[in-house]
Amino acid sequence: MSWKESAHKMFAGAMAGYAVGSVVEPVGVNLHTHEGLAHRTVRLHPSIKSAANTSLLAAGITPHRIAEEHRLHHTEMNRPPENLGQVIRRIIGVGLSKPVKPVLFDQMPVATDPLYRIDDTGIPQLRIGRIESWIKGPKERALILAASVGGISVLIRSAGGDYPLSTSVGFMAGYMAKLSKDSALTMVAEYTSGIQDGEFNADSVHPRLRRYLEIHQRHHDRPAHYDPVARIGDKVTRRVLTKARLM
């Protein structure tokens, strides 16, 4: 086994994973998790929601828990982390099981809330599947990722491909990088900006990170407002799903 060939296969897998993530992100992260579950501003076809959930869970991402945290974030407007260690812990731990106060919309009926349901005792419960409820910490997330890598390796080997493990590891790395890139960079931008009079200080942020901070600030100003300038990929995805009557 040549380490150069293995590295080349890993790089090729990472590029393929990043490309697949570029397709999954607008639907799974932005439309389904963010706008559909967290803000209830779009309604997707059940088949699209199922595909989005499966695609995200394969990377250890829990859409319902992330949407739950995002609602709480909007109601309490969390302060930026105090140090880089907190940034890293937030990025690694986002969406994992932890006590979160349910956030319901008073102006909309709870019966149609895609994120919560009311149990027999009148307490809001998260609408969550078995696999997503099983992912409660880094250990479960690591097992999911290992299973995904193993499954992709089997597919590559059955297709006659070389270096299936290196390729599958690269694929999942690229896939996860694309799905988490915007959120991670927004957290870093918040950390480097600080807060002055309740507003982020964009002048202290690196110019390449300033865009993420400005998009985030606009979103907090108008949470239910669709921003096509901020998400060009979403704009194309919306047109395709609307024409196919899947949204």
Side-chain angles (χ1 to χ4, degrees):
M1 177 183 293
S2 171
W3 70 269
K4 289 186 178 180
E5 292 181 0
S6 178
H8 289 161
K9 290 292 184 179
M10 184 176 292
F11 179 77
M15 293 298 99
Y18 194 90
V20 173
S22 299
V23 177
V24 173
E25 182 194 26
V27 181
V29 177
N30 298 338
L31 289 180
H32 173 55
T33 304
H34 183 224
E35 297 190 42
L37 294 178
H39 292 293
R40 300 173 65 177
T41 53
V42 299
R43 288 186 178 182
L44 298 175
H45 191 275
S47 62
I48 299 298
K49 291 190 289 186
S50 297
N53 273 325
T54 302
S55 301
L56 294 177
L57 287 173
I61 297 175
T62 53
H64 289 77
R65 294 193 190 282
I66 291 176
E68 185 180 40
E69 291 179 13
H70 188 71
R71 282 193 187 181
L72 185 64
H73 171 68
H74 272 278
T75 58
E76 298 186 355
M77 188 55 184
N78 298 343
R79 294 183 62 85
E82 298 177 357
N83 54 63
L84 191 57
Q86 289 187 5
V87 175
I88 297 173
R89 285 193 293 273
R90 283 192 187 183
I91 293 174
I92 295 176
V94 65
L96 295 179
S97 177
K98 57 185 178 181
V100 175
K101 179 176 62 179
V103 178
L104 303 174
F105 291 114
D106 295 334
Q107 70 275 22
M108 296 183 182
V110 178
T112 61
D113 193 329
L115 191 59
Y116 290 106
R117 61 177 177 81
I118 303 299
D119 64 12
D120 297 335
T121 61
I123 299 176
Q125 299 290 341
L126 198 63
R127 297 180 187 269
I128 192 170
R130 291 182 179 180
I131 297 179
E132 191 171 353
S133 63
W134 174 76
I135 302 176
K136 297 180 178 180
K139 179 181 177 180
E140 291 82 4
R141 180 171 285 177
L143 290 174
I144 289 288
L145 292 175
S148 297
V149 169
I152 296 172
S153 297
V154 171
L155 291 176
I156 295 174
R157 186 181 295 276
S158 63
D162 297 328
Y163 303 99
L165 182 59
S166 298
T167 306
S168 59
V169 169
F171 180 91
M172 287 305 299
Y175 182 62
M176 293 181 62
K178 177 57 181 174
L179 294 182
S180 59
K181 177 176 70 72
D182 286 354
S183 298
L185 290 178
T186 299
M187 289 184 187
V188 174
E190 287 183 353
Y191 161 65
T192 56
S193 71
I195 289 183
Q196 290 184 353
D197 300 326
E199 297 291 336
F200 294 120
N201 180 19
D203 294 336
S204 63
V205 181
H206 190 279
R208 292 186 178 181
L209 292 178
R210 194 171 299 164
R211 168 179 171 270
Y212 295 93
L213 192 64
E214 292 171 350
I215 292 172
H216 189 217
Q217 188 66 51
R218 286 203 306 269
H219 175 57
H220 271 278
D221 292 339
R222 301 179 65 183
H225 176 62
Y226 167 57
D227 191 350
V229 177
R231 296 174 179 151
I232 302 301
D234 289 3
K235 189 174 183 179
V236 176
T237 304
R238 284 171 179 270
R239 288 182 178 179
V240 172
L241 294 180
T242 301
K243 288 186 177 181
R245 296 183 179 180
L246 296 174
M247 175 179 167

